Amino acid sequence: MIELSLARLARAVGGDLRLAPGDGADTLVSGAVDTDSRLIGPGDIFVAKPGDVTDGHLFVPQAVEAGAACVIVEHDVDVTVSQVVVPDAVRALADLARFVVAEVRSRGDLRVVGITGSNGKTTTKNMLARILEGAGPTVSPRASFNNEVGAPLTMLRIDTGTRFLVSEFGASGPGEIARLAGLVDPDVAVVLMVGMAHAGGFGGIEATFLAKSELVRSVRAGGLAVLNADDARVAAMAPIAAERGASVRWFGRGANAQVRARDVEVGAAGTTCVVEADGEERMLHLQVLGEHHVMNALAAIAAATALGVTLSDAVDRLETLELAERWRMQPLGSERVRIINDAYNASPDSMAAALRTLAQITGPGERMVAVLGAMSELGEYSGEEHDRVGLLAVRLGIQRIVVVGPEARRLFLAAVGEGSWDGEAVFFATADEAFEYLQGELRDGDRVLVKSSNSAGLRFLGDRLGESFS
């Protein structure tokens, strides 16, 4: 974080300053800010956030022992460092992030990119960060830091030398993206797609559209909206950008996109395509598995080239990215039995994309095996969407469909109903049972996809399979 006096810090978050012996209002702090006491080091700032399971105030002594220079709390704690007492620690975290970003903007040439979409946010964030790191100091989220805590923590990692801040914005309901994006007023807003992910929380696909469009409504006047030309709902956000005085840069596979791809070929070693941008062309080889990641790459290239990066440099940087993120199309196992662990997130769109990728990378004489768990946060759409996945798996000719967990049983029944009734589809209540089955079932030449939402926990099953067949 940038250097601030304790007095300015307290004013920024609207808190009451309780000075420790030896500190003054002008005492400077500049360490990292975190809500996890285990990550606090000398000079850092600990935010004691109440949680569903425990209360951060219980860990203030550990943070102080680790060297915290200051703590932000909701009530006084008996420790020997200065405290800023606030009514709401999460709100204080957001207020501090807003203040720090505005301060850095006023001092230098900080450019902020916000990314949202029903799928692909984290992969696109990592792709864009990899490109921008070659152009200047860049801060981007760790893992999927995209909620009311993770997004401000990312923003607070910037300093006066930061050139680019890449923020990922997720949401569990209406208004959340507007609140988070409002902390930074992005120069560039990237919208990837509007799909069924989290549709249960939003109340349907149209409500999801409104929620994702909040990012475009938050872009700075004179800024840029990078929009998916192939997604009709995303394309419908162009008038919103115009209302904000922002221009639009289109990406997609169609001829009307300013940044587009053609001649796409998918294989076990990655995906190749020709990228066209503003009259230039470059061949791109993505090591990240899956044809669907071409769209994420196009979005990253569209944003980066708008920020002054050349197409050639953007492609060169993208080609160094070996993995989107742990548990996202992560290759494990061996050539004998290849495991693709994609069980961090799942939605109807990402399930379909992962299953199609499995079909595309499985060669003659090899066998497709899909280990599938539940998709969460679909609400009233859950049943029919699990049905669709089961039907697709059968129609793609996947030879073994292994369904895990009671919440995914409908997917299994749909596969059986579609014709996988002679042992092609099997069901297990637990991951341990599925692991035991797969230990005896998998054989040389198998290509195995493990796919589910985070809550289903199959990412750990994928790790176990990867280690077992390495």
Side-chain angles (χ1 to χ4, degrees):
M1 190 187 73
I2 63 173
E3 189 174 70
L4 292 176
S5 69
L6 289 172
R8 289 191 78 197
L9 172 62
R11 285 197 300 272
V13 300
D16 295 324
L17 180 59
R18 310 278 201 271
L19 289 170
D23 281 347
D26 58 352
T27 296
L28 298 175
V29 292
S30 60
V33 180
D34 217 300
T35 59
D36 188 338
S37 62
R38 296 167 297 182
L39 301 179
I40 294 297
D44 290 348
I45 299 164
F46 177 62
V47 181
K49 178 182 74 70
D52 296 331
V53 178
T54 188
D55 186 346
H57 293 80
L58 299 175
F59 300 94
V60 170
Q62 288 93 318
V64 173
E65 185 177 350
C70 172
V71 295
I72 296 175
V73 294
E74 293 184 358
H75 57 75
D76 289 299
V77 181
D78 186 17
V79 288
T80 57
V81 298
S82 293
Q83 305 175 49
V84 178
V85 183
V86 297
D88 185 319
V90 174
R91 184 180 301 168
L93 188 65
D95 289 341
L96 184 57
R98 180 188 293 108
F99 176 85
V100 167
V101 170
E103 185 72 10
V104 173
R105 258 206 175 109
S106 71
R107 298 184 192 180
D109 187 29
L110 177 68
R111 307 296 297 278
V112 180
V113 182
I115 300 172
T116 195
S118 298
N119 297 110
K121 294 184 294 295
T122 299
T123 298
T124 305
K125 171 263 297 184
N126 287 339
M127 288 178 166
L128 180 57
R130 178 61 60 91
I131 295 170
L132 293 178
E133 285 165 358
T138 300
V139 170
S140 65
R142 300 189 296 263
S144 291
F145 271 36
N146 62 18
N147 61 12
E148 64 178 357
V149 174
L153 287 177
T154 298
M155 297 167 190
L156 287 167
R157 287 169 45 215
I158 68 173
D159 58 30
T160 54
T162 303
R163 177 79 185 283
F164 302 106
L165 168 62
V166 180
S167 290
E168 176 185 341
F169 297 123
S172 56
E176 190 169 350
I177 291 174
R179 287 191 295 273
L180 296 176
L183 302 178
V184 292
D185 299 332
D187 299 284
V188 180
V190 181
V191 185
L192 301 170
M193 65 176 299
V194 175
M196 290 298 295
H198 316 298
F202 289 115
I205 194 72
E206 292 307 321
T208 304
F209 162 80
L210 292 174
K212 300 305 180 184
S213 68
E214 290 170 8
L215 179 58
V216 179
R217 297 182 190 280
S218 300
V219 73
R220 292 167 71 88
L224 176 70
V226 175
L227 303 180
N228 183 347
D230 299 348
D231 186 311
R233 291 186 175 88
V234 176
M237 297 179 191
I240 299 172
E243 291 172 8
R244 294 287 301 168
S247 57
V248 173
R249 187 162 170 79
W250 299 102
F251 70 93
R253 301 279 291 272
N256 59 333
Q258 292 155 288
V259 180
R260 57 185 177 270
R262 59 176 171 81
D263 301 334
V264 178
E265 296 183 7
V266 181
T271 304
T272 61
C273 64
V274 176
V275 177
E276 302 177 8
D278 307 313
E280 294 186 69
E281 291 187 1
R282 267 293 305 268
M283 180 68 75
L284 168 65
H285 174 73
L286 281 177
Q287 298 184 66
V288 181
L289 289 177
E291 183 176 357
H292 52 294
H293 289 310
V294 169
M295 290 296 285
N296 300 329
L298 293 177
I301 291 170
T305 51
L307 291 168
V309 179
T310 67
L311 174 62
S312 182
D313 285 346
V315 168
D316 287 344
R317 297 288 296 174
L318 269 183
E319 290 186 335
T320 69
L321 190 68
E322 297 178 357
L323 179 68
E325 188 86 36
R326 186 182 180 191
W327 299 318
R328 287 179 168 87
M329 299 302 287
Q330 181 179 6
L332 299 171
S334 63
E335 280 303 309
R336 186 170 66 86
V337 177
R338 181 179 291 119
I339 312 294
I340 303 170
N341 194 352
D342 192 32
Y344 189 83
N345 273 324
S347 69
D349 293 312
S350 69
M351 273 279 196
L355 288 169
R356 291 191 179 100
T357 296
L358 177 64
Q360 288 170 322
I361 69 171
T362 303
E366 299 175 341
R367 186 174 66 154
M368 294 181 283
V369 179
V371 183
L372 306 176
M375 301 176 287
S376 62
E377 300 183 62
L378 292 176
E380 64 182 288
Y381 309 97
S382 180
E384 63 187 80
E385 293 301 333
H386 281 89
D387 288 348
R388 292 179 195 275
V389 172
L391 297 178
L392 178 62
V394 175
R395 291 169 183 175
L396 287 171
I398 294 173
Q399 291 97 331
R400 285 290 181 273
I401 302 169
V402 182
V403 182
V404 186
E407 295 82 3
R409 187 172 180 84
R410 187 157 167 176
L411 191 162
F412 164 71
L413 295 174
V416 171
E418 185 66 8
S420 291
W421 47 266
D422 193 22
E424 296 95 340
V426 294
F427 173 80
F428 298 98
T430 69
D432 286 340
E433 292 171 330
F435 179 75
E436 291 302 318
Y437 166 79
L438 291 163
Q439 282 278 85
E441 173 66 21
L442 296 182
R443 63 193 190 210
D444 287 3
D446 281 353
R447 301 300 177 244
V448 186
L449 170 70
V450 183
K451 180 70 174 172
S452 74
S453 283
N454 198 353
S455 58
L458 295 199
R459 62 196 186 281
F460 303 118
L461 172 60
D463 286 345
R464 291 174 69 188
L465 290 171
E467 183 176 353
S468 180
F469 290 97
S470 62

